[in-house]
Amino acid sequence: MATVSWVVFKHHKKSDNTYNPKIRISHNRTSSYISTSIYTELVRFKRNSASGTITSEKIKEELDGLVREYRQIINEHQDVVNECETSKDIVAMIERRKQRKEIDFIEFARMFIEKTPNEGTKTVKTTGINSLCHFLNHKNGNEKLLIKDLTSRFLREYEAWLRQERYITVRQNKTAKQAYKTIKKSALNDTGIHSYMGIIQSVFNAALLHFNDYEKGDIIITNDPFKVYTIPAVLEAKKRAVDVDIIRKIYNYSPINKRKRTTMFTRDIYILSFLLAGMNAVDMLNCRMVNGRIEYERQKTKDRRKDNAFISVYVHPLALPIINKYRDLSGKNLFDFYKRYSNVRNLTKGIHRGMRSLCEELGIDYIQFYSARHSFATIARNECDISKDDISLCLNHSSGKTVTDTYIKQDFLRIDKVINKVVEYVFKIAEESK
């Protein structure tokens, strides 16, 4: 049975003649000590005694209060105490219980996101937590959120705030005249709410695994708001594929203003994405050319797949001029995008601006860069009668494995046939030009 008491040792005397009382935890013939924040000269020692007593009743009451607090923790978690072999284990258990009162969800979220290897996932989660911080600033004037205060009621308040037009203050680049600016954000629908709440839930679940020891029944975080709060169901995604005529317009685009390098750059990698079976821009940063084929591991899913989401894509002759235009002459990467944009986030922003300018010059409604991927898949299926399995291979999607699949070696040459057929249909390429 664990016992708790306070003690003051003579040999713990400080240079300023004060003593720091300790809380002693004894268990299975071992003793460990927890420091207190108390420093006092009001200590009396008996002759030849290594420990003393406090002469101040006020300080004694404060120490007795700490003893009662620690005894209560031990009494309330006897199942955990029974698993503790030494007093040191019990001290660790007590410290975790004390820590629960001060676990800052935002602080943990930043730490957790920083360790996320996938840059795309890191960016998405950072955006979600930043939004939560904007709400906390709106609600409390600070960005602190104790994990015990993350309740279903809090989430409903946050959802209501997201569903309305709101103003947030963001930090600007160092080159800006003002350090901060205020921007207006549009109200979110169910799909947006689903995304933002999903980020919070994923970080909260990570916190549960980090702080709780379910094998020993050592539960630090006892609340779970997502057992009460229901995340809205996601709306059916609007199809982002565009008509063949739009793809052709983008392909034939000639810039009105030659100085608009971002617009032409966006046109080029949009068409390149389409020609490479819907390759994402982020994957162009780390791809390589091997034996005339482009190989890469899809950043979005490589951490969730045993094959690291590897794919080898056929390079159609129409893609070669674009590849050569942006080839990295230093040989560090296939493309020189890293010289144009310092990170993935800036690349994404540049593409977003470029797509707006491109669509404006072409006189078409705004389309997302990702529509190149959707369009390739849609045209392959609906216009070229390509099987869904082959389209899935081109898009580097992971499908449910069967026993038969484990016997079949992956054949990326099937991608060549799909790309040739789609490109021929869209751009009317003659058979001899393949």
Side-chain angles (χ1 to χ4, degrees):
M1 176 64 185
T3 60
V4 187
S5 61
W6 59 264
V7 62
V8 185
F9 290 112
K10 182 182 289 186
H11 67 279
H12 284 178
K13 187 177 182 179
K14 306 298 180 183
S15 58
D16 60 355
N17 294 323
T18 61
Y19 296 87
N20 176 224
K22 302 288 194 298
I23 304 298
R24 178 164 55 195
I25 308 294
S26 299
H27 181 65
N28 289 346
R29 299 180 181 180
T30 64
S31 294
S32 297
Y33 300 88
I34 303 175
S35 296
T36 68
S37 59
I38 299 171
Y39 290 88
T40 180
E41 296 177 336
L42 305 176
V43 184
R44 183 174 64 245
F45 295 93
K46 292 182 180 181
R47 181 177 295 180
N48 299 325
S49 176
S51 60
T53 184
I54 302 293
T55 59
S56 168
E57 291 299 323
K58 183 178 180 180
I59 295 177
K60 287 173 65 175
E61 288 179 6
E62 188 174 349
L63 290 170
D64 289 340
L66 288 174
V67 169
R68 286 193 297 271
E69 178 185 347
Y70 295 161
R71 280 177 180 162
Q72 182 177 356
I73 292 175
I74 291 172
N75 291 336
E76 290 177 351
H77 301 90
Q78 277 299 316
D79 52 341
V80 180
V81 172
N82 293 336
E83 295 292 329
C84 295
E85 297 181 358
T86 66
S87 57
K88 186 177 180 180
D89 296 331
I90 294 182
V91 168
M93 184 269 290
I94 291 173
E95 292 292 352
R96 287 196 297 273
R97 292 304 181 287
K98 289 169 60 183
Q99 184 185 33
R100 179 187 182 276
K101 299 178 181 179
E102 301 298 329
I103 296 176
D104 186 344
F105 179 76
I106 301 299
E107 182 180 332
F108 174 81
R110 300 291 189 201
M111 177 194 72
F112 172 72
I113 292 171
E114 185 60 31
K115 294 180 180 179
T116 301
N118 188 297
E119 289 297 326
T121 302
K122 183 183 293 186
T123 299
V124 170
K125 289 187 183 297
T126 298
T127 300
I129 296 302
N130 286 345
S131 173
L132 180 59
C133 288
H134 290 312
F135 173 66
L136 290 169
N137 274 316
H138 167 78
K139 179 180 172 65
N140 305 322
N142 60 61
E143 297 183 358
K144 191 176 184 65
L145 176 60
L146 297 182
I147 206 159
K148 65 182 180 64
D149 295 330
L150 184 55
T151 62
S152 58
R153 179 178 178 181
F154 174 87
L155 292 176
R156 284 191 289 271
E157 290 178 4
Y158 178 44
E159 178 183 337
W161 183 74
L162 291 173
R163 288 188 182 278
Q164 63 185 6
E165 288 188 346
R166 57 207 181 277
Y167 291 89
I168 63 173
T169 301
V170 296
R171 184 187 294 273
Q172 298 200 84
N173 295 330
K174 294 180 180 180
T175 56
K177 294 182 179 180
Q178 295 180 335
Y180 295 89
K181 70 174 180 179
T182 300
I183 60 176
K184 183 179 180 180
K185 302 289 287 184
S186 301
L188 296 183
N189 58 16
D190 282 355
T191 300
I193 301 296
H194 180 93
S195 176
Y196 277 63
M197 292 302 184
I199 291 170
I200 296 176
Q201 186 178 36
S202 67
V203 175
F204 182 82
N205 289 340
L208 292 179
L209 293 176
H210 179 80
F211 291 102
N212 292 347
D213 188 336
Y214 292 101
E215 291 184 352
K216 293 183 178 180
D218 190 5
I219 309 302
I220 306 300
I221 302 175
T222 57
N223 60 303
D224 187 348
F226 293 97
K227 288 186 176 179
V228 179
Y229 172 81
T230 302
I231 298 178
V234 65
L235 298 174
E236 183 177 353
K238 181 180 179 180
K239 301 304 181 185
R240 287 182 277 190
V242 298
D243 293 337
V244 173
D245 288 342
I246 299 296
I247 303 293
R248 290 172 181 158
K249 278 187 176 183
I250 295 175
Y251 179 77
N252 293 320
Y253 165 76
S254 179
I256 298 174
N257 187 342
K258 298 295 184 181
R259 291 179 296 178
K260 285 191 174 183
R261 296 177 58 192
T262 301
T263 309
M264 194 62 197
F265 170 76
T266 302
R267 173 268 176 198
D268 288 342
I269 62 171
Y270 184 93
I271 293 300
L272 184 61
S273 171
F274 184 85
L275 293 172
L276 296 176
M279 185 178 183
N280 291 336
V282 64
D283 293 319
M284 295 180 188
L285 291 173
N286 300 300
C287 66
R288 55 193 178 274
M289 183 85 83
V290 179
N291 296 326
R293 305 178 69 85
I294 285 185
E295 297 182 350
Y296 65 95
E297 295 173 348
R298 193 180 181 209
Q299 294 295 309
K300 184 177 181 180
T301 56
K302 72 173 187 177
D303 296 326
R304 304 197 298 266
R305 287 170 50 178
K306 293 181 179 180
D307 63 353
N308 295 324
F310 173 82
I311 188 172
S312 174
V313 181
Y314 162 70
V315 177
H316 191 278
L318 284 182
L320 282 174
I322 302 176
I323 293 173
N324 292 329
K325 182 178 181 180
Y326 298 101
R327 190 182 289 271
D328 181 14
L329 299 180
S330 71
K332 179 181 178 181
N333 290 346
L334 175 58
F335 297 111
D336 64 0
F337 299 166
Y338 69 94
K339 296 179 180 178
R340 299 167 180 267
Y341 299 97
S342 58
N343 53 47
V344 174
R345 187 179 182 87
N346 289 337
L347 172 63
T348 303
K349 287 182 178 180
I351 291 174
H352 178 69
R353 291 194 300 268
M355 288 303 299
R356 288 199 175 280
S357 176
L358 181 62
C359 293
E360 183 180 338
E361 290 193 29
L362 291 174
I364 60 177
D365 292 336
Y366 174 74
I367 60 174
Q368 296 181 4
F369 179 83
Y370 210 60
S371 65
R373 183 175 177 85
H374 283 249
S375 300
F376 180 89
T378 301
I379 293 171
R381 181 61 181 155
N382 295 343
E383 309 300 337
C384 301
D385 199 28
I386 305 295
S387 70
K388 289 183 179 181
D389 284 343
D390 283 350
I391 295 173
S392 177
L393 176 63
C394 291
L395 298 178
N396 201 5
H397 283 168
S398 176
S399 58
K401 296 288 185 180
T402 66
V403 175
T404 305
D405 290 323
T406 63
Y407 285 81
I408 301 175
K409 181 181 179 180
Q410 190 74 282
D411 181 13
F412 291 113
L413 295 180
R414 289 161 53 201
I415 295 177
D416 305 17
K417 301 174 184 178
V418 178
I419 291 178
N420 275 327
K421 197 167 185 179
V422 171
V423 171
E424 181 180 354
Y425 173 81
V426 174
F427 302 110
K428 305 300 182 182
I429 303 298
E431 186 69 24
E432 58 269 16
S433 68
K434 288 185 181 180

